[in-house]
């Protein structure tokens, strides 16, 4: 039997993914941002499924308009 989680509920989402974000910060996403800029220079950046928003924060730290 398949189990589905209601990810619209923030508490459910956080219980499922909190450990994946432990110890991360926006600084860990600099390489990913550089790769995105390489393929699509300029902005704004739209991060669909942004999770905790680290990529958006990284872009903003470098002065890019970003939404997630």
């Amino acid at each position: 039997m398949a189990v589905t989680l209601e990810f619209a509920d923030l508490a459910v989402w956080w219980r499922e993914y909190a450990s994946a974000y432990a110890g991360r910060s926006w600084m860990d996403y600099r390489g990913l941002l550089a790769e995105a800029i390489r393929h699509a220079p300029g902005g704004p950046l739209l991060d669909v499924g942004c999770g905790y928003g680290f990529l958006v924060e990284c872009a903003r730290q470098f002065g890019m308009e970003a939404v997630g």
Side-chain angles (χ1 to χ4, degrees), residues 18-59:
S19 64
Y21 289 96
R24 287 189 194 183
S25 80
W26 67 266
M27 294 178 66
D28 298 312
Y29 290 77
R30 292 174 293 177
L32 183 58
L33 179 62
E35 193 66 19
I37 291 169
R38 189 177 83 129
H39 292 286
L45 174 94
L46 173 61
D47 184 358
V48 177
C50 67
Y52 204 58
F54 288 124
L55 182 60
V56 171
E57 179 63 20
C58 184

